[in-house]
Amino acid sequence: MRLGGIGQRQNKKQHQSDILDGDPISPSSMQMEASGSLITLETEAPDTVDLSRLSLDDAAPTKQQSPNETSRPAAKAPSSAAPSPDALFIVIPRNELPNPLPGETELSLAVPAARHFVNTYYQHFSAAQINDLGRYYTAKGQKSVSIGGAHSVVTGRNDIATQILSLAGTVFSVRGVVSQDTVDGQGAHILVTGSAVTGSGGVSANFAHSVSLTRVKPELQVESTCPALTAAFEAGIPFQIHNDALALLSGEAAPMNQPQFTSPAPAHHPPPPPGLF
């Protein structure tokens, strides 16, 4: 049975026209027409959220902090060890600082650092100055000596000084020097080659000497009581020896222009230095 056929169809067309011509349908109120009657469905609109009252603390669950976390002090980055009060330094004078290389902003100190290392280090092997040589090393420095197949490695200034004493009187003749800046620009890797005549028995041998110099940071002046450090910074840029590996190579060395060693070199090797393993 159909109720109000023509009238309802006209009303339906009129209603559709009103929808097309009027405002968009709100989701909160939708109307459906059925045969003979008009059925209205109303959906409940969600509550409007007040953005001004939102907080990140409300969105995330509350994390309870343990007592250990509240009482634990913030970790402090360890600083480099300050030089000892009697430390000595290899210094590049300010008037010898090179200009930056093209395209670089930092100075390359490898060449002047190597030059002053060679001029300072090897002259200390005389009996009068060898005791001062250990003062050029950092507090955690390492030194090794290799003679043929024997190797000796020591760390710390006291053991380094003891090992150096075993080379007292050795005369070094430098022939080649290669130097390179460290990757962080705060030091230099140096390779020195030449020949040497030991003071204990006059053994002659070629040598290769690998050295790592580290630049002393200016802020260490505050922590240090070393008077030589203050003078070094006033004069230029100071360095210390952090790693030192000396190898006396077996085989005959080229003759050296040293009048005190005119006799042929004996075939035996010098006694091994302290710390041999």
Side-chain angles (χ1 to χ4, degrees):
M1 178 178 180
R2 300 177 61 184
L3 299 179
I6 299 176
Q8 288 183 357
R9 285 194 294 270
Q10 291 177 350
N11 291 339
K12 183 176 181 180
K13 293 179 180 180
Q14 182 65 34
H15 179 66
Q16 291 175 350
S17 177
D18 293 341
I19 291 176
L20 295 175
D21 297 337
D23 296 335
I25 299 175
S26 173
S28 62
S29 178
M30 296 191 306
Q31 294 183 346
M32 296 180 59
E33 292 184 352
S35 59
S37 63
L38 184 65
I39 302 175
T40 303
L41 297 179
E42 294 187 358
T43 58
E44 183 177 358
D47 295 337
T48 303
V49 179
D50 187 357
L51 298 179
S52 63
R53 308 176 82 179
L54 286 179
S55 173
L56 293 177
D57 296 334
D58 298 334
T62 304
K63 179 181 178 182
Q64 295 183 356
Q65 192 173 21
S66 64
N68 294 334
E69 292 180 352
T70 57
S71 60
R72 185 182 302 163
K76 183 179 179 181
S79 59
S80 301
S84 59
D86 64 339
L88 294 175
F89 306 91
I90 297 167
V91 183
I92 302 177
R94 297 191 185 279
N95 59 355
E96 295 185 23
L97 295 179
N99 295 323
L101 297 175
E104 300 288 340
T105 57
E106 298 292 335
L107 297 178
S108 175
L109 302 177
V111 173
R115 180 171 60 250
H116 284 276
F117 167 78
V118 171
N119 294 338
T120 303
Y121 186 87
Y122 298 107
Q123 68 179 5
H124 278 74
F125 280 90
S126 65
Q129 297 177 310
I130 194 168
N131 290 327
D132 292 335
L133 194 53
R135 298 163 62 187
Y136 287 91
Y137 290 80
T138 64
K140 298 181 179 180
Q142 175 178 291
K143 177 174 176 56
S144 65
V145 175
S146 300
I147 302 177
H151 306 280
S152 170
V153 181
V154 294
T155 58
R157 283 185 48 183
N158 292 336
D159 290 339
I160 289 175
T162 302
Q163 188 184 79
I164 289 175
L165 286 174
S166 66
L167 299 173
T170 300
V171 178
F172 292 90
S173 177
V174 176
R175 293 178 183 167
V177 180
V178 179
S179 185
Q180 180 186 20
D181 294 299
T182 56
V183 66
D184 59 358
Q186 298 300 311
H189 295 304
I190 305 172
L191 176 62
V192 184
T193 58
S195 56
V197 177
T198 64
S200 55
V203 176
S204 178
N206 293 318
F207 77 89
H209 194 189
S210 175
V211 178
S212 292
L213 298 182
T214 181
R215 184 171 174 176
V216 182
K217 297 180 179 180
E219 55 266 25
L220 294 181
Q221 295 183 85
V222 180
E223 306 175 16
S224 176
T225 58
C226 176
L229 182 60
T230 303
F233 274 110
E234 292 177 354
I237 299 179
F239 290 80
Q240 281 196 303
I241 305 170
H242 187 63
N243 189 278
D244 170 358
L246 173 65
L248 296 178
L249 310 176
S250 59
E252 291 187 5
M256 301 176 60
N257 296 326
Q258 299 292 338
Q260 63 269 36
F261 299 109
T262 55
S263 60
H268 66 275
H269 293 289
L276 181 65
F277 63 88

